[in-house]
Amino acid sequence: MTSTYAIIGDPIDHSLSPNIHNAAFRSLNLDSTYIAYRIPKGELAAGIEALKTIKIAGFNVTIPHKIEMIKYLDVLDDNCNLIGAVNTVSNYDGILKGYNTDMTGFLDPIKKRNLTIKDSQVILLGAGGAARAIVAAMVKEKAGKITIVNRTMENAVKLAEFTEKIGGNADMVSLQKANELIADYKFIINSTSIGMKNEQSPISTENIGKDSIVYDIVYQPINTDLVKKSKENNATVIYGYEMLLSQAASAFKIWHKIEPPYDVMKKALLGGF
Ligand code: NAP
């Protein structure tokens, strides 16, 4: 019987995940298919029942369900527990197990470049769901101070509290202060959604230089204004699409228990832009 996988969220029509996973299935001749299933906010319970009825083999979870999905899980893996959000679910005989592959997905591109996180100063723009996975990843790798910059102070405070709770060292600064201090940070990470609509960089790039590592997790467009200007300043740039690809590869491995065909998945993703 064909195994069915899905991504659930809203909006979902522009998701690149079906392309990535279906290309991987084709290349390995797996009898599996991956669909996009729109579940609006407030309809998650019914959506999960529907997925169970069709014996879904596994699914990814995106905005707005990453946190609420936790309450429908039977088992949570350690990262999922730590972050308090889920992006990957497996279904074995009706037992739903949750994982969070955003954390390893975020770290992989840094590790591939052999960049050292330990004791490094980090400035993190944004304090949403993705930021929590990034903080958990950076604390796990023993980063130095993590400075949080966010539009809504209340969300920055919550993220700083979370950072301290899991053993990290956080502080918060205003955007203006961040612009002045930017050269002091080794890692400059954008986890806001600024850039998706081709907006200007969320931070001044004037003092970003060759020693800066700029990681923009926005993946569409690939070359955001922050990425373009950082490249012009000779900074090391890590692209959001790399994180997307790594988290998809991790989900593939969880579901199929075989090595994901990374290059095939990458080609499918980049072809989708
Ligand atoms: P989220 O929970 O909704 O958080 C959004 C963040 O962006 C919040 O900090 C929010 O600030 C900030 N923000 C949004 N619009 C803003 C604006 N106009 N000015 C200033 N700040 C603004 O979303 P998320 O799940 O963390 O995702 C954030 C981004 O990361 C999205 O673009 C998403 O596509 C991307 N992402 C990429 C990957 C990947 O694999 N590459 C994985 C996950 C997410 P407030 O707190 O003030 O609202």
Side-chain angles (χ1 to χ4, degrees):
M1 201 180 80
T2 306
S3 302
T4 304
Y5 296 85
I7 178 157
I8 64 166
D10 189 24
I12 208 76
D13 28 332
H14 294 298
S15 171
L16 299 163
S17 297
N19 267 357
I20 302 174
H21 285 278
N22 283 318
F25 299 159
R26 270 193 306 274
S27 82
L28 297 174
N29 278 320
L30 297 177
D31 187 10
S32 301
T33 186
Y34 187 111
I35 58 170
Y37 177 30
R38 189 174 77 89
I39 301 181
K41 202 173 168 62
E43 295 180 24
L44 188 56
I48 300 299
E49 273 317 303
L51 288 171
K52 281 186 165 176
T53 304
I54 64 159
K55 298 201 168 18
I56 196 85
F59 55 98
N60 286 124
V61 184
T62 189
I63 296 172
H65 303 305
K66 281 185 173 184
I67 294 170
E68 202 196 341
M69 182 63 216
I70 297 265
K71 67 175 189 246
Y72 298 99
L73 297 172
D74 301 296
V75 191
L76 282 78
D77 90 331
D78 289 348
N79 288 347
C80 196
N81 233 334
L82 179 72
I83 299 164
V86 56
N87 77 333
T88 302
V89 179
S90 63
N91 178 20
Y92 293 108
D93 297 327
I95 307 287
L96 298 185
K97 179 168 179 183
Y99 304 82
N100 193 309
T101 66
D102 278 339
M103 194 167 149
T104 46
F106 172 79
L107 287 176
D108 271 356
I110 299 178
K111 292 190 171 169
K112 277 186 183 150
R113 287 171 171 80
N114 285 321
L115 300 168
T116 307
I117 296 174
K118 192 167 183 289
D119 299 329
S120 300
Q121 304 287 83
V122 178
I123 190 155
L124 175 60
L125 312 174
R132 274 177 85 91
I134 292 170
V135 160
M138 285 310 214
V139 171
K140 182 173 166 244
E141 298 297 319
K142 303 195 167 25
K145 193 175 64 193
I146 301 174
T147 300
I148 299 161
V149 184
N150 194 53
R151 176 180 61 181
T152 309
M153 188 44 105
E154 192 191 336
N155 294 338
V157 170
K158 278 189 199 148
L159 186 63
E161 284 169 0
F162 170 72
T163 312
E164 301 277 340
K165 193 176 124 206
I166 63 171
N169 174 9
D171 68 355
M172 290 166 286
V173 298
S174 65
L175 184 58
Q176 192 192 343
K177 197 83 193 149
N179 283 334
E180 290 166 21
L181 297 175
I182 196 95
D184 298 345
Y185 292 91
K186 178 168 163 186
F187 285 93
I188 300 154
I189 304 164
N190 176 38
S191 78
T192 72
S193 34
I194 300 175
M196 291 177 81
K197 295 181 190 144
N198 286 307
E199 303 97 321
Q200 281 213 325
S201 166
I203 193 155
S204 162
T205 50
E206 209 175 305
N207 295 322
I208 289 179
K210 66 172 177 37
D211 296 327
S212 317
I213 300 163
V214 177
Y215 196 155
D216 193 344
I217 76 159
V218 169
Y219 53 83
Q220 213 167 15
I222 294 181
N223 284 298
T224 58
D225 186 54
L226 171 62
V227 163
K228 277 190 231 162
K229 290 183 173 149
S230 302
K231 275 202 278 193
E232 281 164 18
N233 293 0
N234 295 315
T236 299
V237 166
I238 307 181
Y239 296 89
Y241 84 80
E242 297 175 70
M243 174 175 169
L244 181 70
L245 208 51
S246 294
Q247 64 78 23
S250 300
F252 183 95
K253 205 168 174 176
I254 287 168
W255 293 328
H256 305 282
K257 305 210 168 14
I258 52 174
E259 276 310 306
Y262 187 86
D263 289 341
V264 169
M265 295 169 91
K266 181 174 177 182
K267 211 169 143 197
L269 170 64
L270 296 180
F273 283 114

